[in-house]
Amino acid sequence: MATARRSWNIAREIGDAVISASRNPNRRWYGPHMAAAVRAISERVPLVDFVLEIRDARIPLSSEYELLRKFSPLPAKRIIVLNKMELADPLELKTCMDYFKERNYLSFAVNSHNSERVKQFLNFLQSQVRESHKAGHSGHTTTMMLLGIPNVGKSALSNSLHQIGRISATEKGRLKHTTVSSQPGDTKDIMSLKIGSHPNVYVLDTPGIFPPNLLGAEICSKLALTGAIPDDIVGVIELARFFLTILNSSHEYKKWEKLRKTQDLTRSLSNESSKSDGKRKTRYATDHTQDFIVYDVRRVLYETISAFDGNLEDEISMGNLIETQFAALRPVLRVSEEASEFADLRVASKILNLYRTGRLGRYTLEHVSTVAKF
């Protein structure tokens, strides 16, 4: 587990690039479609019973849904949902939950791809509905609106709640699905999905919304690294460098020390797999998500950090280490010498993917205890 604790120049540069792009009328993401979504959501918020504000557990404050600040007081019961909990530092996640509890905010951490955790979340929601009914604040049907910035996993969570809720209720009929994508901004319309019966409970999946003007380079850098903002605004190489800066200045890599001893074993497994299945040879050569490749990536990162004798508090020294890591990762990630012109781009894309899928550790990028946002 790891948590980002200091500010680096690369973070400020990335954040400034995002802010600059947001103010560029030719590349601005707050276009007519997002403005229309804001109006549609604003009209419906007063009509729902619950608002589920979906946040990224790695950036629990920076991923706040600013639009809710327009409603004071909020007409519906608000629950802060920390999605992607499997990618965040568990200790920091607990601290964050305590932080919200101390401020009388209801919160729940969830992994939208883990059925057991989604079941627990569904049970939690049903208990909230029962309490609401007892207090006389709801009718026979309860509506919950999922709100959040782009790419925090609203659609994936909606689909999981819909599927598990219908199975629990033993309902028949065709399942509906909302569009799920790793690219921010793919959800365009508000969609209703049933997640419970007796009483009936529906969730409304909504498009991800940013405020018209993003504030703060530090916040923007975190949004970019976690994938809430399209990668092409900053560039995957800079984002990968930012991640490696965080990794190199943390203690996460120390857990990979034992992988040095398994280098020969992973190579042996790789060779045996390639010989036993000809079809897998091509797959192994290109698929960086294979376990043995991920192990090698971790091993190389551990070895390069451990062997580095520079000062990692110094920006120039950190940059030199990252250059060394990019070069050392080329053969491990099967980036051919013929593609040298695009080698860094390919290495960066693969490293960024491994980070965002949790294969290189669990990272929380901010401390709720040191940020006065609420």
Side-chain angles (χ1 to χ4, degrees):
M1 290 82 70
T3 308
R5 291 189 177 272
R6 63 157 287 182
S7 179
W8 295 87
N9 285 337
I10 189 171
R12 290 189 290 273
E13 291 168 359
I14 288 173
D16 288 341
V18 172
I19 292 173
S20 177
S22 72
R23 294 171 180 169
N24 185 336
N26 296 321
R27 295 194 63 186
R28 192 167 175 154
W29 53 75
Y30 194 87
H33 71 285
M34 199 167 281
V38 168
R39 289 193 297 271
I41 290 170
S42 298
E43 290 171 359
R44 294 200 186 191
V45 166
L47 305 177
V48 302
D49 303 292
F50 290 84
V51 166
L52 308 184
E53 183 190 359
I54 315 301
R55 300 193 187 186
D56 189 321
R58 296 167 294 178
I59 48 172
L61 299 182
S62 295
S63 56
E64 180 189 1
Y65 190 74
E66 295 283 348
L67 182 61
L68 286 180
R69 292 176 178 266
K70 290 177 55 178
F71 300 95
S72 183
L74 189 66
K77 191 171 185 178
R78 175 194 188 191
I79 301 174
I80 297 174
V81 183
L82 299 176
N83 195 23
K84 305 186 180 184
M85 61 176 292
E86 74 282 7
L87 304 179
D89 182 327
L91 295 179
E92 287 292 331
L93 182 60
K94 183 182 184 305
T95 300
C96 182
M97 301 290 286
D98 293 340
Y99 175 89
F100 289 137
K101 185 177 181 179
E102 291 169 1
R103 287 155 180 78
N104 296 319
Y105 287 100
L106 267 179
S107 63
F108 198 95
V110 69
N111 171 1
S112 59
H113 302 292
N114 183 299
S115 60
E116 286 303 314
R117 191 62 185 175
V118 173
K119 285 180 184 178
Q120 293 173 18
F121 181 46
L122 184 59
N123 291 336
F124 168 77
L125 293 178
Q126 290 171 338
S127 70
Q128 293 297 316
V129 170
R130 287 193 294 270
E131 287 185 16
S132 180
H133 283 189
K134 288 179 181 178
H137 297 314
S138 181
H140 296 294
T141 298
T142 298
T143 305
M144 301 180 171
M145 178 176 278
L146 273 69
L147 299 174
I149 65 172
N151 214 22
V152 288
K154 295 184 300 300
S155 296
L157 183 57
S158 297
N159 286 336
S160 295
L161 287 170
H162 175 53
Q163 183 176 19
I164 291 175
R166 285 171 57 87
I167 291 173
S168 300
T170 62
E171 289 198 8
K172 296 181 180 180
R174 186 171 64 87
L175 281 169
K176 295 198 293 185
H177 294 280
T178 60
T179 301
V180 178
S181 171
S182 61
Q183 298 301 314
D186 273 4
T187 301
K188 302 297 183 184
D189 302 307
I190 297 176
M191 184 172 183
S192 175
L193 297 172
K194 190 174 185 179
I195 65 171
S197 300
H198 313 297
N200 292 327
V201 183
Y202 291 85
V203 294
L204 302 179
D205 183 30
T206 63
I209 301 293
F210 277 128
N213 298 302
L214 294 177
L215 301 176
E218 185 177 354
I219 290 176
C220 289
S221 67
K222 297 169 188 174
L223 294 173
L225 184 58
T226 54
I229 290 170
D231 290 343
D232 62 349
I233 288 179
V234 176
V236 294
I237 293 178
E238 287 305 300
L239 290 172
R241 289 178 185 277
F242 184 24
F243 164 66
L244 289 176
T245 299
I246 293 171
L247 169 63
N248 294 339
S249 56
S250 74
H251 298 291
E252 186 75 7
Y253 75 95
K254 293 182 179 179
K255 297 191 298 186
W256 303 334
E257 180 180 8
K258 62 183 180 180
L259 296 178
R260 288 190 304 174
K261 303 173 184 178
T262 61
Q263 180 178 2
D264 292 338
L265 174 60
T266 55
R267 286 178 177 172
S268 174
L269 289 173
S270 173
N271 291 335
E272 289 177 8
S273 298
S274 297
K275 292 176 181 177
S276 62
D277 187 347
K279 294 182 180 179
R280 281 187 167 185
K281 187 172 182 180
T282 301
R283 182 177 175 223
Y284 281 153
T286 57
D287 188 356
H288 63 282
T289 64
Q290 296 297 306
D291 285 345
F292 81 92
I293 293 181
V294 175
Y295 295 155
D296 265 353
V297 169
R298 294 173 182 170
R299 175 184 56 78
V300 167
L301 291 173
Y302 173 84
E303 291 175 349
T304 53
I305 300 171
S306 300
F308 188 70
D309 59 0
N311 178 13
L312 291 180
E313 293 294 318
D314 177 68
E315 300 271 357
I316 296 177
S317 296
M318 178 66 77
N320 291 336
L321 172 57
I322 292 173
E323 290 298 327
T324 300
Q325 290 172 322
F326 264 80
L329 287 168
R330 285 189 188 184
V332 172
L333 291 170
R334 279 55 175 175
V335 176
S336 64
E337 292 299 325
E338 292 78 8
S340 58
E341 182 181 352
F342 305 102
D344 281 355
L345 180 61
R346 295 187 181 183
V347 169
S349 297
K350 294 181 178 184
I351 289 297
L352 197 57
N353 172 261
L354 292 178
Y355 154 66
R356 288 175 175 170
T357 53
R359 304 300 298 278
L360 296 180
R362 303 172 68 170
Y363 302 84
T364 297
L365 305 182
E366 60 193 9
H367 296 271
V368 294
S369 58
T370 59
V371 182
K373 189 176 178 68
F374 277 85

